[in-house]
Amino acid sequence: MTRRLLIGLYETEDDILAAAEAARLRGMKVVDVYSPYFVHGLERAMGLPPSKLPWVCFALGVSGAAFKVWFEYWTTASDWPVNVGGKPWNSLPAFVPITFEVMVLFAGLSTVFAFFLVSRLWPGRRAVALAPRTTDDRFGLVIEETAYFDAPAVRRFFEESRAVEICERMMEEAA
Amino acid sequence: MAEPVLLAPEPLIAGGKRPGQVTSEILATTERRASPLWWAGFLVAFGALAAGIAAVAYLFSTGVGTWGLNNTVGWAFDITNFVFWIGIGHAGTLISAILYLFRQRWRTSVNRSAEAMTIFAVICAGIFPVIHLGRPWLAYWIFPYPNTRGPLWINFRSPLAWDAFAITTYFLISLTFWYLGMIPDLATLRDHTPSRFRRRLYAFFSLGWDGSFRTWLRYETVYMLLAGLATPLVVSVHTIVSWDFATSVIPGWHTTIFPPYFVAGAIFSGMAMVLTLVIVARKVMRLEDYITARHIDAMCKFLLLTSGIVGLAYATEFLTAFYSENRYEQFVFLNRALGPYAWGYWIMVVANVLIPQLLWFRRLRRNAAAVFAISILINVGMWFERFIIIVTSLHRDYLPANWTMYRPTLIEVGTLVGSFGLFFTCFLLFCRFLPVISMSEVKGAIQFGRTRPGAPAPEESPLPAEVHP
Amino acid sequence: MRADEPKRYWKSLAEREGGAAYSERAAAEFDETPFAAGPLGSRRSFLQAAGFSFAGALLAGCRRAPVEKAAPWLEQPEEIIAGRSYYYTSTCGACPAGCGLLVKTRDGRPIKLEGNPDHPLSRGGLCAVGQASILGLYDSLRPKQPLLRGRAVSWQEADREVLKALAEARRSGGAVRYLSGTLTSPSRLRMIRQLLSGLPDGRHVTYDTLPAAAVLDAHERTHGVRALPHYRFDRANVVASFDADFLGTWLSPVEFTAGYSQLRKPLEQSPQMSYHVQFEARLSLTGSKADRRIRIAPEELPWYLAQLCARLEVKAQRSSGARLESLPILDDVAERLWQARGRSLVVCGAEHLDAQLLANYANELLGNYGTTLDLRRPSLQRQARPGDFAELLDEIATGRIAVLFLDGVNPVYDLPDGEQLARRLRKLPLVVSLAERLDESAEAAAVVCPDQHYLECWGDAEPVRGLFGVQQPLIPPLRGRAALESLAIWAGAPKSAADIVRETWEREIFPRCKAKEESFERFWERVLHEGWVEAEIEHPGSAFNPAPAQAALHRVTKTAAAGLTLVAYPKIALLDGRHAYNPWLQELPDPITKATWDNYACLAPATARKLGLTDGDVVRLEAGPERAVELPVLVQPGQHDNVVAVALGYGGHLTRRFANLGPRWLGWRPSVNAGGCVGENIAPLLERDGGSLRWTRSGVRLVPTGKRHALAVTQDHHTLTVPPRLAAADRGRRPIIEETTLEAFRKDPRAGAQGHPPPAEDLWPRDHTFPGHRWMMVVDLTACTGCSACVIACQVENNVPAVGKDEVRRKREMHWIRIDRYYSGPLGDVDVAFQPMMCQHCEHAPCETVCPVLATVHSSEGLNQQIYNRCIGTRYCENNCPYKVRRFNWFDYARDDRLANMVLNPDVTVRSRGVMEKCTFCVQRIQEARLEARRRGEPLRDGEVQTACQQSCPAQAIVFGDANDPASKVSQLLKSGRAYRVLEEINVRPSVTYLRLVRNRREAEEEERHG
């Protein structure tokens, strides 16, 4: 089906915050907001849930550390034990530094890749150019036309909420 | 840490900028043609790099004997430079990660260049452990990979093995952090630049970023997580570097205070380097409005703090030596202060402890020229700190029969010069082709279109409350 | 030959004939000529084939090797198994001392020289020079062919030239002179006699660069026999040495060291050791071991001896009324000597007749003749008569010599007026040199018929009358022709060296030996097996005549030294310079000065201060008109203030070969100086009266030139005391070397202990036990004389490269074992302590823990192993070694001389650039012994494993063995009260234990020295 998206472009952080909040409270279907920087409070205005990525970070971090400590023990004390400076086969304290480093490495990289994955970011991906200048100095509020709020209603709302520019897009999308 | 309240009086960004203005002003440098000044700097830096490449090529073709090392002093310039550059790197991470967690919003103007500095410094640092090897072509043996030698694994008890992992992790995480922070700006560049070729390039690297707020939300979360990881990482890295010495049996190396001592020293030297770079950058690239006297001031306070810690460490070493009743320990430190390398030791003390005390004066902190001079001195002093720690401990250790002196050769000096060349070449290219200031963050920090006053009250954190750690 | 013998000697001709059978087969199959050819009979050919055909095959790979003598190894000779080491007895030819050798050959080529434990003189020891002389065999710069006026010619041509001249001389009665050093070889002497006998005017003249003429003359006067007594230090409980460096370079150092140190190993059960007092001008190796050392100017020496004799006369109630000056020291010495009469020894090394007469007198008064001095079986070294040589020089000057043979002497180099002599030699009708190498004299000779190395030809020696040693070839000749054969040809009776030696022994020696064997064959078999034999001697009666000595006693007056006196001395490694071609010896640090690759002017600290000179300042030594040499200064504690001491043997043409030595890179500096040689020849400064050189010259001037010269010394800091201002209170002296006095040791065997033992309890679980062997080493600091034989032994055994002066200057010498030398006490007369320092194989090795790639790890037998091919060269291990005994390959050290590479030990890896190396406790020897024992099916016996350093040590100061075996010598010594470990307190648990240094002193004495 095709979706009809209406985009209101705002100039200031205050306006977009107000508009987004208002639109949500009126029950409009806020598809997304495009902003040049992270606007604090906007997630509350849009009513977005917190991200789940911290769990990925935690899980991968822990498993990385666990793997490494096992690997160090296995290589040093089990697979090929060598007498090094009279140290015990299993020199656990000496294994700590690398374990820590590997934990950080796993946690960090995995989180970032998870982020790219869920946000569908990859090299060469075409940016959705719904609104111009949203990477520069404009805030774009994207509202989908619904049964209750037809295009004119939305336009009216945009004008009330001091949008500097209003445009429309048709979007083909497999529902 | 400096308190937000202290920073409150003046705005973070001067000149009441509007977002569009921010974009155009910061991108100006990347879009206008390179200035002769830039070219001059670039050619000098590149010349130095070329010299370094020549020195290393000769080193590889001939052997480590082309350095001034001997049977007693097995490390000198090589590891000194390594520790020095790693230290430089740390300030970047401090600014980008630690200050981020501590909500020091003034960092926004300097964190990009500081992170860039980290990356380049770590690259410079990483070179030395490789080229100092007798057989550099086998450097990869230091990583445990399945091989046909048994498989023969590595010695996880060796601080050098720890180093290899620490440096690698540090480099990758810093790189990711830097790149992640740059994605929105790359997108801005993509939409801003006239040249088609560069648009293609930026489009590729900006991963199709379009400023969707749902992405922004995850982005902030990840950024925070990385900051949270990078903070212990940066501490661990220099701790491990210090263990290269602390776990040995050599008097002057075998010291328990090394980890905090080294970390503080690292941040000290790194901060100085940031200042050196930033003071030049803001002048040349006309970014005084973004990198204001206030930023410099804040960083100077860091210098004061860390210089104090370093000075304390110097004193503590003597105390422990004296208290230890260990004749070898006591000798090493007397030898540092009064022995044949005393000149180096006193350069270190003067430049790292005495000179920085000038920064107690606000007027000096606000005087870019003075701060620049001091920062240079600190860089020199910190290089000598590492040199003194390494060489004076080795050249006169337990058996007097082994005592000898170390003198660097031209080849060694060449490698040091080369590393500076590499560093500045990279940095100049960075200034040329990437936004030296994080636009997306600065835009969030300016006054425009925000009813709230400049500095955020604690409850208005830059982070969504829901995802606090 | 029974295959299950641990060591393999030549056993019998019969067996070798068996080998010959094989060789003929091999020869017939391939190439007859070498075996049929020339005067070298068939015995030579079996030698080539039986043992050495395989060597030939090896040599065939090598350009410079005599390929035409190579016979490929089709069938294995029954005697030789590839890859196994065989030991053959021989006699060392490096110096006339004639120490007994066991030559370790591998696949037909000698790779290592070891002392023959059964030899009555050397008793298993071998000095640095002897050890290094094997490199001379593989010296690719030895001339291969004879030279006729500088042109390489065939042997026939050279012989024709010589024979023509001899015939001419025979006809016209021209004078033929054969000039050589003192030869102890009966065969060589016989051939020379044979050569000269057929001539109307032929004479054999000898001269010694290191003479003992005064000793000989003195005995001619006092005992009526011109003989050099055989000194028996193994019987001397009190030794008073007047400038005799008997542990270093005088006569027979290895033998003397063995005997001397045997009486200087105090044990708890018998806390005894001999007393040694040394009167000398410069600090010699011997002086450094003395319990009491008195600095005297060379001029004062006779007077001191006179005073000693006077005191002894009184004690013996035979006073000849000599005036006694008050000299408490001498009172003490005289008393000690007198108490030990018959078991004491007075030796004098000065070339001064009166001094020697007095020394004889002293020994006579003490009744030492017959006990500690043996005139029945005198030493046959240094027999030269200066008179003859003077005469010869006059003859050369007047040019009335038809043919002059130069055999093993280099007068052009040795003599002050060398150039002049060279010019005169060139004027002579024919000068024939038999030099092994083209030295200065050979360059002046018309014909050079290069002699062979003593390891590639037959020979023999009689170092002490009646004691004969045999030399046998152990490889097909690489260069030259045996002098014996040359002589035989010129005498008109061509014969192989093998035949000549056998004849000598059959005719002259066999009859004199009351041998068990009836047949010579069996006797010869035993001789070759044992390497030496003792023969009966007819004893010339020698009654003592005091008159000349007493005359001397009254003649000698106290003469004060006027100005500076030059003292020329032979250096441990180079002696008189005959081994200057040898890079190992050039790079061997002098035990006292620790300097390499140079000679230098040693000055006493006081003198240096007076003249405002420090180490490395170049001064011009001036002696007489246009007699000057420029030398760097080296400040030498313990030396007499009026003396400037300079080493002999430097600046010879043989050292020109070092012009390009060492790794070449931007910073490279040559090992030779501006003159193109290593060091400076100081012959011009010496004076010759008649046929003898004076090694001391008073009234030399010393002019600073303002130039500097960086000496290549391996040790910069010379004491265990740290610089005063760098020392925390009362922590000045480091307890690296522990020492005590005999008196204290008698009271408490642990006297002098300083280190604190580490805590017994361990933080870690005891994961590592050493159930099998536990290799440990004990080094006796009291016995060690610092002679450095171990350093070279290790270098040969472990393929350690010589790196050249520049690298040594950069403190990158590669020796795996070094000898740390520390001074203590007053700067004037210092005490010296030597400490051999090698890898300590720590149980808690710091080097192992820090290596990231497991390139150095611990073996289950307690060895600290270095795995070269795993090493990536971080040098972290080196930094973390408290003893700094690890050595890094800074470059690829050149090994492009393929002939020289033949000396490499195939059991030891040759290290490449960028890897760390260090002492391995000779793990290859452990392995060899272990395999041998396993083959025998017996457990490894104690003493079966000997490290190279241990084997060569003349003082037997090093003991190596299994500490898990309670019976082993090592375990016994570990229990000794003198045992301590260096840096014990840092708990690295070294496997090397040192035995405390004991000086035969009274504690009070020690107090006033150091207190």
Side-chain angles (χ1 to χ4, degrees), chain B residues 28-289:
Chain B
T29 44
T30 66
E31 280 154 7
R32 95 166 74 89
R33 310 191 88 261
S35 68
L37 197 61
W38 184 89
W39 274 111
F42 181 77
L43 287 179
V44 172
F46 191 77
L49 172 58
I53 292 171
V56 172
Y58 185 65
L59 169 73
F60 281 6
S61 67
T62 313
V64 190
T66 57
W67 287 354
L69 304 168
N70 54 46
N71 287 336
T72 304
V73 183
W75 288 347
F77 260 46
D78 43 9
I79 303 303
T80 303
N81 299 342
F82 162 69
V83 181
F84 172 75
W85 281 117
I86 284 288
I88 297 296
H90 282 22
T93 323
L94 171 98
I95 291 172
S96 54
I98 302 183
L99 296 192
Y100 181 80
L101 293 184
F102 281 97
R103 323 236 198 302
Q104 299 299 308
R105 297 184 76 223
W106 58 269
R107 69 180 266 287
T108 50
S109 331
V110 285
N111 72 327
R112 170 69 43 78
S113 43
E115 286 168 38
M117 184 191 75
T118 300
I119 310 292
F120 305 144
V122 175
I123 292 172
C124 292
I127 288 171
F128 284 97
V130 175
I131 66 170
H132 100 290
L133 293 178
R135 306 200 289 174
W137 51 91
L138 299 178
Y140 64 95
W141 280 5
I142 208 169
F143 290 105
Y145 60 94
N147 54 58
T148 52
R149 304 183 202 93
L152 176 60
W153 302 108
I154 65 164
N155 178 12
F156 287 109
R157 302 178 182 89
S158 164
L160 280 189
W162 307 346
D163 259 353
F165 280 85
I167 304 304
T168 322
T169 308
Y170 185 49
F171 179 67
L172 292 176
I173 294 289
S174 308
L175 194 61
T176 321
F177 201 38
W178 185 54
Y179 178 59
L180 190 70
M182 218 158 29
I183 292 175
D185 286 7
L186 288 171
T188 316
L189 268 164
R190 174 197 62 204
D191 303 343
H192 207 269
T193 180
S195 128
R196 287 187 69 256
F197 166 73
R198 290 176 72 179
R199 191 180 305 123
R200 283 256 184 71
L201 207 66
Y202 291 129
F204 179 84
F205 283 108
S206 58
L207 311 177
W209 177 274
D210 48 20
S212 145
F213 190 78
R214 298 174 184 282
T215 316
W216 267 121
L217 186 53
R218 300 194 200 94
Y219 175 87
E220 285 291 313
T221 315
V222 173
Y223 199 80
M224 193 278 305
L225 286 171
L226 275 190
L229 288 169
T231 303
L233 176 63
V234 69
V235 175
S236 81
V237 168
H238 225 61
T239 302
I240 287 175
V241 169
S242 79
W243 281 338
D244 283 349
F245 310 106
T247 60
S248 78
V249 297
I250 302 302
W253 281 12
H254 182 69
T255 319
T256 45
I257 66 162
F258 263 12
Y261 170 12
F262 267 54
V263 172
I267 291 173
F268 183 49
S269 61
M271 223 17 122
M273 184 58 94
V274 178
L275 276 165
T276 317
L277 296 175
V278 153
I279 288 173
V280 176
R282 75 195 273 265
K283 195 113 215 84
V284 177
M285 301 165 75
R286 312 196 197 87
L287 297 171
E288 285 91 343
D289 288 346

Side-chain angles (χ1 to χ4, degrees), chain C residues 322-334:
Chain C
R323 228 172 93 265
L324 283 181
E325 313 259 344
S326 148
L327 269 174
I329 299 161
L330 280 182
D331 298 338
D332 176 63
V333 173

Side-chain angles (χ1 to χ4, degrees), chain A residues 13-14 31-35 37-38 40 48 53 75 79-80 88-89 91 94 101 119 121 125 128 135-136, chain B residues 23 149 153 156-157 162 188 191 208 210-214 216 218 220 233 236 440 443 449-452 462:
Chain A
E13 192 179 316
D14 293 351
V31 178
D32 202 345
V33 172
Y34 291 83
S35 66
Y37 60 88
F38 179 77
H40 295 290
L48 297 174
L53 285 168
T75 52
D79 182 42
W80 189 339
W89 301 126
S91 312
E101 299 301 324
S119 318
L121 294 172
R125 169 189 185 246
V128 196
T135 56
D136 181 0
Chain B
T23 316
R149 304 183 202 93
W153 302 108
F156 287 109
R157 302 178 182 89
W162 307 346
T188 316
D191 303 343
D210 48 20
S212 145
F213 190 78
R214 298 174 184 282
W216 267 121
R218 300 194 200 94
E220 285 291 313
L233 176 63
S236 81
S440 59
K443 287 171 189 169
R450 205 184 283 110
T451 47
R452 297 162 299 176

